[in-house]
Amino acid sequence: MSANFKAELTACFGQPVAENPTGVMQEAAFAALGLNWRYLTVEVAPSKLREAVAGARAFGLRGFNCTIPHKVAVMEYLDAIAPDAAVIGAVNTVRREGDRLIGENTDGKGFLRGVRVDAGVDPKGKRAVVLGAGGASRAITTELALAGAQNVLVVNRSVERGEAMVADLAAKTGAPIRFAVWESVYRVPGDVDLLVNATSIGLYPDVDAMPPVDLSRARSGMLVCDAVFNPPETRLLAAARQRGLPVLDGLSMLVYQGVIGFQLWTGQDPPVDVMKAALREALGA
Ligand code: NDP
């Protein structure tokens, strides 16, 4: 009788990394499909990233995620970068193609898939407002632009950061991306189709914080999305619900970035519901 006791390995490299819940949903999906695969959540210091990637090659990892603070730094240790990850300027998922390691970014793609699948909205031709100009905003804004949004307005507190990001992404994508400074309360105009909170406002433990936005002029079908996933029900989403607006929580983006990573690594479609349930349980949601 022949036997195969070898597990295929995937991982997440970050620091701090202990509270990253991705492994829970990936392992639930591996188990559901009967795959002898593992997802290791590994603490890697910035000074050890080069060795960690060399280790990934030596161990034949099938792929890995990078989280804070490695999403930009990892790029110099890879063999190629996918076009959209190059525009974003950051990699959160690495896949293997033979012996080559390819950098991908599934954050913005995960967000878009959630918008399409969970909210039933096609971003093509839509007018979007993205709050924030950090890493999450960069990924979301890039993918909205590449998906053919009619325009994307980035609203950020820090002018320098917001202007620099918008100038860079507009030049790289050729898409109509504009910037507005976030002063006091931002009044969302009535012609916006999609509002995204890509700031960290509302993130645990600051769960009572609410992005200073006025939704009173929002048109009735405007989709309100939050990148914050802990807690999934943020003050912003509660305020939107109260106005009868459709909402999409940050768990959707988190799950679908993992779904896309799973597909890139295994070539198979994972059971999305199993991943969502595992994540909800892990986060006590
Ligand atoms: P960054 O630190 O890179 O960016 C944070 C952004 O939030 C900046 O634009 C910052 O503005 C803004 N901000 C923070 N506090 C305030 C405030 N009090 N008032 C106005 N603006 C504020 O963070 P990330 O982009 O990496 O992450 C943002 C959020 O997205 C986090 O909650 C993270 O958990 C979530 N996220 C979710 C993912 C998912 O899969 N659901 C994936 C990745 C991230 P300024 O430039 O002025 O400082």
Side-chain angles (χ1 to χ4, degrees):
M1 181 187 109
S2 83
N4 181 1
F5 299 110
K6 174 181 172 289
E8 300 299 331
L9 299 179
T10 59
C12 176
F13 298 159
Q15 188 180 57
V17 79
E19 288 185 11
N20 190 302
T22 303
V24 171
M25 65 173 172
Q26 296 294 10
E27 294 234 322
F30 294 149
L33 292 191
L35 296 173
N36 187 16
W37 285 49
R38 299 284 178 280
Y39 186 101
L40 309 171
T41 301
V42 186
E43 179 108 9
V44 174
S47 63
K48 297 291 182 196
L49 183 61
R50 179 193 295 269
E51 283 104 316
V53 177
R57 292 182 194 273
F59 283 8
L61 256 60
R62 300 294 291 260
F64 58 93
N65 289 128
C66 277
T67 187
I68 289 170
H70 304 316
K71 286 185 177 184
V72 176
V74 74
M75 295 171 78
E76 68 172 294
Y77 307 126
L78 304 177
D79 302 301
I81 307 293
D84 61 335
V87 171
I88 295 165
V91 159
N92 78 328
T93 302
V94 176
R95 65 181 170 88
R96 232 178 64 190
E97 215 175 77
D99 286 338
R100 301 174 76 229
L101 294 181
I102 317 293
E104 301 270 354
N105 195 310
T106 66
D107 279 336
K109 285 198 191 98
F111 169 76
L112 277 200
R113 198 174 291 189
V115 167
R116 289 191 175 111
V117 176
D118 288 350
V121 171
D122 181 357
K124 192 172 163 60
K126 297 290 188 298
R127 290 154 297 202
V129 169
V130 181
L131 306 171
S137 168
R138 246 191 116 81
I140 290 169
T141 301
T142 300
E143 298 296 349
L144 281 171
L146 295 178
Q150 187 182 111
N151 54 58
V152 185
L153 179 68
V154 174
V155 179
N156 197 53
R157 176 182 61 178
S158 144
V159 177
E160 212 176 315
R161 193 178 189 185
E163 275 184 349
M165 184 187 97
V166 165
D168 183 44
L169 294 185
K172 285 176 177 164
T173 62
I177 307 171
R178 293 174 297 117
F179 172 70
V181 60
W182 198 347
E183 286 169 328
S184 62
V185 175
Y186 175 70
R187 185 175 285 182
V188 182
D191 62 352
V192 173
D193 303 302
L194 202 73
L195 174 71
V196 189
N197 175 37
T199 75
S200 43
I201 303 171
L203 181 63
Y204 179 87
D206 212 4
V207 297
D208 287 328
M210 161 88 182
V213 292
D214 175 355
L215 299 175
S216 62
R217 286 194 188 168
R219 70 171 192 82
S220 61
M222 184 183 79
L223 177 65
V224 180
C225 313
D226 210 324
V228 171
F229 61 83
N230 186 16
E233 182 70 3
T234 57
R235 282 270 316 273
L236 174 65
L237 295 192
R241 274 186 216 281
Q242 233 169 24
R243 293 191 165 273
L245 299 172
V247 302
L248 184 68
D249 68 26
L251 279 182
S252 167
M253 174 174 172
L254 185 62
V255 166
Y256 284 110
Q257 63 79 27
V259 166
I260 296 167
F262 189 103
Q263 290 167 327
L264 290 171
W265 296 334
T266 66
Q268 297 190 42
D269 291 330
V272 178
D273 290 348
V274 169
M275 292 173 81
K276 272 189 189 167
L279 202 53
R280 281 192 182 279
E281 195 186 328
L283 294 172

